[in-house]
Amino acid sequence: MGLTRTRVRVEGIVQGVGFRPFVHALAGRLGLAGLVGNDAGGVFVEVEGASETVERFLEALAAEAPPLAVIERVTATPLAPTGSSGFAIAPSQAGGERQALVSPDTATCADCLAELADPADRRHRYPFINCTNCGPRFTIVRDVPYDRPATTMASFAMCADCAREYHDPGDRRFHAQPVCCPACGPSLALLDRDGTAAEGDPLAGAAARLRDGAVVAVKGLGGYHLAADAASEPAVAGLRARKHREDKPFAVMVADVAGARALCRVDPAEEAMLASPRRPIVLLRRGPEGAGTAVAPSVAPGNRSLGVMLPYTPLHHLLLAEVGRPIVLTSGNVSDEPIAYLDGEAVERLGGIADWFLVHDRPIHVRADDSVVRAFRGRELPLRRSRGFAPQPLGLPWPFPRHVLACGAELKHTFCLAKDGHAFVSHHIGDLENYETFRSFTDGVGHFRRLFAVEPEVVAHDLHPEYLSTKYALELDGVELEGVQHHHAHVAACLADNGEPGPVIGVAYDGLGYGADGTIWGGELLVADLEGFRRAGHLEVVAMPGGAAAIREPWRMAAAWLGAAFGGQVPEHLAVVGRNLDRWEQVAALARSGTASVATSSAGRLFDAVSAILGVRDAVNYEGQAAVELEQLADPAEAAAYPARVGGATDDGAPLLVGGRDLVRAVVEDLDAGVPAPLIAARFHNGLAEATVAACQAIRDATGLEAVALSGGVFQNLLLLERTVARLELKGFRVLVHSRVPPNDAGISLGQAAVAGARARARPA
Ligand SMILES: [Zn+2]
Ligand SMILES: [Zn+2]
């Protein structure tokens, strides 16, 4: 029997997830000697014993790893046996190259929930209960290696009982860095607007005030939320008015899956997303009939879906149980500001909105908004990838030869750092339009660089000269800059999301992005791989009369598209003309002449135009509102489609043109014929899907490409996505959609990083 000693290095998400106790128990079970420890590169192990036992150890290491561990690489190197006995846990080692991956924040596990509910347990009803399998991670980590002194728990000295659990390799809290209890850990307080603590149990007090209709700011995992009784129209309408948020739907937290079913239809895929340890907000279809009355109309006005999430911290579990019904839980901010996460700042900023503050003394180091997903064909379609997901790296099948920072775009901003085969897409930063979000971005880049030991040599950025992310990139010294066209980045994000290099036919439909020719693009058909692209087609171009004003006022896009579709004979009897008569002629003239306007091929703006023509919305209160409401209006049972020409030729190099004017003319004809608006909205969706497929067929004929990647914010529209995918598949295309990063601009940073990596591989330094 040969005695061997092997050094094993385990890389991936292996710290803070109970990996060392797992290794300790495994070695004990197999009777192996050695040691295990954390260092900046992950987990290191030395095992000594019979060679076949060491083999079994290595197999079990990957097969039986703890639930939150993500093993990316295991390397084994032989050592000389030392004859040692016993298995030890070595102290953490600082220094060295930092590659250990910090885990995302994780919802309270079943074991902790059982203790939370057990009157005999010393953590009965303790709002900060956690263990190696659950609890805060990313939002409390200040530095690596991931150990208590490097977290915001550093100031809470463990009591003797917690210390015993923490140091016992057989305990399920062994080296759980945030471990604590009522005797030694954080505690709750309920404050009024002046910061004065209320008498009595803070949790019961907050719940009672919520039931009475108050707005309560609740300190959560990644920031403050604003909570209100979801069943109370005065409470929710009051919250809306104080927050200056007119129409954008609020999310609701329910106690459990049964609570979600009381409000919405939940299929098995959606149930899995709701109950996953990431606990995102899941957009669900409201119903069944008669239900939906349990939430006040102001929660999600006129919306067929509802954002629902389950409790993800012990505090949320206790609060929901105490309130006894669903609560609205929305980001703690005023209109477009980032979510508040610092205690003093929260009371100051939210004082005009919240009546009470349910706070605690565990600091939040990184702000992280709730993630938002919906189900598409049983898979997760992320709309916002943040708390619970970040900073888990996305594994890519291609190495990055040099470290990359991708600065992202502007709206729904994220950034991305990349090295080796990992892309670290940041949490949701917000709309990069003010100083505060810009600070979040630059602070976030610094934090990610430290955590993941990335020293950017290549910096990728959008081509839009006015984006703050572009300006930031252009001011960096000593790095190689890589400009990436916006829609190419969308298509590359979809490729990277699917782990494919292309080339593909990329369909990128969004609001707008800076084109390679200096005009504003947004309805693009690209022949693209990761390295480059050719603009093979696009939606017909119209003016955006008044520039950015046309984004806020979709009726302006109606004026532009009607002018383009009907030339001099704009049908002036249309209601949209009548509603905007005082400025119609002036705006139509801007569109005709191009004065004070920019030319755009944007698909999002075409949706805006149709939305206004149908009387859905002339002006918006949030980005994408007109298109969202047009999707809501459309009758999903309608199969007819408006015909639209796809013109131009690919052989002379001129891009194909997708006939938006045909779609607009058909909308007006049906409107004049008295066809109900839900049918018109559906036929428009179907028509755009068919025209897109026809364009893809023409490009396939010219190039032989069989795969289509769908990206851009317009493909958050499930009706358009479903119709387009179904028609593409019917024509024999292989279709790539998003499942790891959002199709909207939050995915741009991953696309930029993938492009920069591909170019670096093609042109070695
Ligand atoms: Zn737990
Ligand atoms: Zn304790």
Side-chain angles (χ1 to χ4, degrees), residues 122-123 158-163 180-185:
R122 67 190 189 89
R123 294 189 181 86
M158 278 182 277
C159 69
D161 288 336
C162 286
C180 58
C181 75
C184 66

Side-chain angles (χ1 to χ4, degrees), residues 36-381:
V36 58
N38 278 351
D39 63 13
V43 164
F44 61 90
V45 187
E46 288 182 20
V47 278
E48 182 166 330
S51 49
E52 51 287 9
T53 317
V54 170
E55 276 309 312
R56 275 178 40 218
F57 172 86
L58 289 173
E59 280 161 25
L61 194 67
E64 298 170 22
L68 295 186
V70 180
I71 296 178
E72 306 223 314
R73 189 160 38 183
V74 177
T75 38
T77 26
L79 297 174
T82 65
S84 69
S85 61
F87 197 89
I89 298 209
S92 289
Q93 294 177 359
E97 200 194 346
R98 293 173 176 183
Q99 286 184 333
L101 303 178
V102 176
S103 159
D105 301 286
T106 302
T108 314
C109 73
D111 289 340
C112 285
L113 284 180
E115 290 180 5
L116 188 69
D118 177 4
D121 193 275
R122 67 190 189 89
R123 294 189 181 86
H124 178 229
R125 292 182 58 79
Y126 181 55
F128 304 95
I129 188 170
N130 66 80
C131 72
T132 48
N133 291 333
C134 76
R137 296 290 188 275
F138 174 59
T139 54
I140 63 164
V141 171
R142 294 190 161 120
D143 206 350
V144 283
Y146 172 67
D147 259 340
R148 194 175 179 102
T151 72
T152 65
M153 286 297 291
S155 59
F156 296 95
M158 278 182 277
C159 69
D161 288 336
C162 286
R164 196 176 314 118
E165 293 168 331
Y166 181 87
H167 289 113
D168 175 3
D171 193 276
R172 68 184 195 86
R173 291 198 170 83
F174 175 69
H175 281 216
Q177 304 308 340
V179 70
C180 58
C181 75
C184 66
S187 55
L188 284 181
L190 181 64
L191 309 178
D192 68 14
R193 285 178 170 179
D194 300 324
T196 311
E199 300 275 306
D201 175 38
L203 206 99
R209 285 163 175 96
L210 281 169
R211 284 196 305 269
D212 287 347
V215 172
V216 180
V218 179
K219 185 174 177 183
L221 211 43
Y224 278 78
H225 282 111
L226 291 161
D229 178 356
S232 164
E233 177 60 20
V236 180
L239 171 57
R240 234 175 230 298
R242 293 189 210 169
K243 200 174 140 79
H244 303 299
R245 178 149 148 168
E246 285 157 67
D247 306 301
K248 203 170 182 179
F250 286 143
V252 166
M253 183 177 270
V254 297
D256 47 28
V257 173
R261 279 193 208 289
L263 303 176
C264 295
R265 280 170 282 192
V266 184
D267 71 23
E270 291 163 337
E271 179 173 348
M273 292 170 202
L274 274 174
S276 84
R278 302 173 182 286
R279 292 287 156 105
I281 295 170
V282 184
L283 294 190
L284 299 171
R285 296 150 298 156
R286 296 170 91 157
E289 305 315 311
T293 49
V295 299
S298 283
V299 171
N303 211 301
R304 283 204 294 241
S305 53
L306 185 66
V308 179
M309 63 180 146
L310 302 189
Y312 51 87
T313 70
L315 173 57
H316 292 135
H317 280 283
L318 294 168
L319 187 63
L320 263 288
E322 197 85 25
V323 175
R325 49 183 185 256
I327 57 173
V328 161
L329 209 56
T330 182
S331 303
N333 58 5
V334 185
S335 83
D336 295 327
E337 289 177 10
I339 185 170
Y341 73 115
L342 301 171
D343 300 324
E345 168 209 70
V347 176
E348 189 185 313
R349 277 173 51 192
L350 304 178
I353 305 178
D355 303 300
W356 295 91
F357 292 81
L358 184 60
V359 302
H360 60 74
D361 50 355
R362 185 182 69 207
I364 297 170
H365 186 66
V366 178
R367 174 193 279 144
D369 291 74
D370 293 317
S371 296
V372 185
V373 303
R374 53 196 311 193
F376 177 68
R377 293 185 163 192
R379 286 171 82 202
E380 206 162 69
L381 174 68

Side-chain angles (χ1 to χ4, degrees), residues 1 16 22 126 317 390 399 477 489 499 565 570 581 583 640 653 691 729 733 755:
M1 181 179 87
F22 155 70
Y126 181 55
H317 280 283
D477 288 325
V570 171
L581 201 55
R583 285 184 294 167
E729 288 178 346
F733 286 99
V755 170

